[in-house]
Amino acid sequence: MSGISLDFGNGGVEMQSFLQTFLPKFYRGEKWGNFENDAATFPIHDGKTLCFTTDSFVVDPILFPGGNIGDLAFAGTVNDLVVMGADPIGLSCALILEEGLDEKILEEVLKSLANLSDKFQIPIVTGDTKVMEKGSIDGIVINTSGIGIAEKILDDSIEVGDKILISGGIGEHGVALLSKRFDFQTEVVSDSKPLVSEMKEIRSLIKWAKDPTRGGVAASLNEAAVEKNLELEIWDQVLPIQKAVRIAGDLLGIDILTLANEGKILCIVKAGKSEAVLEKLKKYNSMAAIIGEVKKEKINGQVILKTVLGARIMSMPSGKIVPRIC
Amino acid sequence: MSGISLDFGNGGVEMQSFLQTFLPKFYRGEKWGNFENDAATFPIHDGKTLCFTTDSFVVDPILFPGGNIGDLAFAGTVNDLVVMGADPIGLSCALILEEGLDEKILEEVLKSLANLSDKFQIPIVTGDTKVMEKGSIDGIVINTSGIGIAEKILDDSIEVGDKILISGGIGEHGVALLSKRFDFQTEVVSDSKPLVSEMKEIRSLIKWAKDPTRGGVAASLNEAAVEKNLELEIWDQVLPIQKAVRIAGDLLGIDILTLANEGKILCIVKAGKSEAVLEKLKKYNSMAAIIGEVKKEKINGQVILKTVLGARIMSMPSGKIVPRIC
């Protein structure tokens, strides 16, 4: 087909190549860094660093098991800041609404935003509201951008032998959303959650962190492997996956490692500190696990999934993984 | 009709009352201020202030005489920062694209963003791309958020006798857009423009500034009058309006004072400095003019339009002024 395809928006290879086409042409200034990261960084006073990030949320359906688009919009942007090592100081919230949208839905979404803002003491400080004619936009779209301040950006150099951890079960948001969209019964609910407390506890102990949203664990690990020229090995047998998530994945024929998570931290930790980090993460989620390790240096990187049957490459997801998952 | 109406998104009374319903419930933190302003403010080091703003652009059509949605998205957010007195340091850019969108259009939009970023040396440092299914969004929507740093936020106390100035002709963006939408011939092009240089020249001389976008000069003046409890008097006979804009306004039966401007500064200046500010503004646009003055203090404020026939209240715009003007 001609024109922009859905694949562009999935966090997979198509989006990567689309971004590569345009991004290098943009003026970058001298002070900013971390353009390819979850949040861009700008040095401020006393050695501190300002972090800045943006995300639009187009999730379908707007309300899903375990949350709504407002929960996602708050958690998604906060998480992009905290995985960099920053303390979020404020968010923006821009609403785009479809004419005729049920005010009850809007109220529920705004209530989620207000509750999370209150709970995590991160204010929403600036906003914008646009309305488009009926049929020009599907329901509600939210953009949240966020600012954080970091004492220290997480970017310690990763070494062979470092361990890879995840802070809980994989694929829960993806399955919760698909269950609503395809109308099948499951007990799985979205894991959408601001990871402020978890990251505060572990950030001094870890080298790198990422929230594996669009494209899931597979995309996040591949990005890290490519960027840092590493071969990462993941152990299939220890991956924390709820039974109901596994069943739903089989039912739908979808690789759980490519499904979005909206409240999980993927992190890389010095081997000697991995048990300490695991212990801290388990306080929040008993499914937290050490799932692999940094195997060797490798130009352009790769991710290997070791299973009982042998090893295979865990590729960067491509194609229509799941559109409008967040 | 039930549900959200287009009026909500127009910058008029409906949006004001909608925002009033929800905003007070949100947690605000202790350090942030200027929530109702173009950009929220946060004190940083050395007495400086961080400014943070967001805007979504849903303009229809995407390409219009004098620019495209990319020009608007850059200028709109930059202008929200500069009218506060800040120097923009970085923007985010989040694209939401319709499946099947012509890549040529996207390229033109991105080129505008890249060119303006380069010209004004304001980097776009973080971004996001989502794609929605054909029919789920109309073409392309852009959110830009922006960060700036101000030595001094513009908020000097306004006094009776202060003059009101505008930096050029009124209503040009609105008319340019409507000409394309309703397919009539006019020489008017959008005034979309980042006001970085203009504001840098005048900011030490002025007390207050605003870029009169959605809802136009009428909305911006009413907001100021209400917020500051002032009666503002505007002189109809000296309003700078291109002849072609006036003709289009008559043709369409639209009040030009409610039409969006995307590259104009409305400002309030001590009487003794008004000629100096006018002179500086005229270097950029010969239509810059002193258009009125602060008449008296008045609880809840009001704006009076003085015409040859007498005086009338210039109300806050309401209803479907022009949907999707920016």
Side-chain angles (χ1 to χ4, degrees), chain B residues 62-134:
Chain B
I62 296 167
L63 316 175
F64 48 80
N68 63 53
I69 192 171
D71 295 290
L72 277 190
F74 190 91
T77 290
V78 162
N79 291 344
D80 281 346
L81 294 171
V82 297
V83 295
M84 297 291 294
D87 293 313
I89 62 165
L91 299 192
S92 66
C93 177
L95 304 169
I96 307 175
L97 311 174
E98 183 180 17
E99 181 188 15
L101 176 74
D102 185 347
E103 291 184 25
K104 289 255 179 315
I105 292 179
L106 179 59
E107 226 178 289
E108 192 167 334
V109 169
L110 291 174
K111 210 187 286 170
S112 285
L113 283 162
N115 285 345
L116 287 172
S117 171
D118 198 49
K119 181 172 174 191
F120 290 92
Q121 302 275 293
I122 302 168
I124 295 172
V125 297
T126 184
D128 176 53
T129 305
K130 295 286 190 317
V131 183
M132 292 171 78
E133 308 91 327
K134 204 163 177 57

Side-chain angles (χ1 to χ4, degrees), chain A residues 1-6 8-9 15 18-19 22 26-29 32 35 40 42 45 50 52-56 58 89-92 94 96-101 103 106-107 110 113-114 117-118 121-133 135-138 141 143 145-147 214 324 326, chain B residues 1-6 8-9 15 18-19 22 26-29 32 35 40 42 45 50 52-56 58 89-92 94 96-101 103 106-107 110 113-114 117-118 121-133 135-138 141 143 145-147 214 324 326:
Chain A
M1 76 168 278
S2 72
I4 298 300
S5 98
L6 279 175
F8 276 56
M15 192 172 83
F18 166 72
L19 291 175
F22 286 106
F26 277 90
Y27 167 73
R28 282 306 174 66
W32 287 92
F35 298 107
F42 185 90
H45 52 97
L50 192 77
F52 184 30
T53 187
T54 191
D55 246 321
S56 301
V58 299
I89 61 165
L91 300 191
S92 65
I96 307 175
L97 310 173
E98 183 179 18
E99 182 188 14
L101 175 74
E103 292 185 26
L106 179 59
E107 228 177 287
L110 290 175
L113 284 162
S117 170
D118 199 48
Q121 301 276 293
I122 302 169
I124 294 171
V125 297
T126 184
D128 177 53
T129 306
K130 295 288 190 314
V131 183
M132 292 172 79
E133 308 91 327
S136 291
I137 187 159
D138 186 15
V141 164
N143 177 284
S145 299
I147 301 177
R214 273 189 295 177
R324 297 179 62 188
C326 60
Chain B
M1 75 167 278
S2 72
I4 298 300
S5 97
L6 279 174
F8 276 54
M15 192 171 82
F18 166 72
L19 291 176
F22 287 105
F26 277 90
Y27 167 73
R28 281 308 175 62
W32 286 92
F35 300 106
F42 185 91
H45 52 100
L50 192 77
F52 183 30
T53 188
T54 191
D55 245 322
S56 302
V58 298
I89 62 165
L91 299 192
S92 66
I96 307 175
L97 311 174
E98 183 180 17
E99 181 188 15
L101 176 74
E103 291 184 25
L106 179 59
E107 226 178 289
L110 291 174
L113 283 162
S117 171
D118 198 49
Q121 302 275 293
I122 302 168
I124 295 172
V125 297
T126 184
D128 176 53
T129 305
K130 295 286 190 317
V131 183
M132 292 171 78
E133 308 91 327
S136 290
I137 189 160
D138 187 15
V141 164
N143 177 283
S145 299
I147 301 177
R214 275 188 295 177
R324 297 179 62 187
C326 60

Side-chain angles (χ1 to χ4, degrees), chain A residues 267-285:
Chain A
C267 59
I268 298 181
V269 184
K270 201 176 170 66
K273 292 182 179 169
S274 59
E275 288 297 335
V277 171
L278 181 62
E279 197 177 317
K280 286 181 187 294
L281 290 176
K282 282 202 161 175
K283 287 196 298 185
Y284 296 93
N285 189 320

Side-chain angles (χ1 to χ4, degrees), chain A residues 242-268:
Chain A
Q242 284 182 31
K243 200 174 162 198
V245 168
R246 225 180 256 285
I247 291 169
D250 288 346
L251 194 75
L252 295 160
I254 283 182
D255 182 355
I256 291 156
L257 292 168
T258 67
L259 282 177
N261 310 275
E262 297 291 338
K264 295 290 149 51
I265 304 161
L266 197 60
C267 59
I268 298 181

Side-chain angles (χ1 to χ4, degrees), chain B residues 204-221:
Chain B
S204 66
L205 300 170
I206 68 177
K207 296 180 163 189
W208 172 91
K210 178 106 189 160
D211 56 327
T213 57
R214 275 188 295 177
V217 168
S220 293
L221 289 176

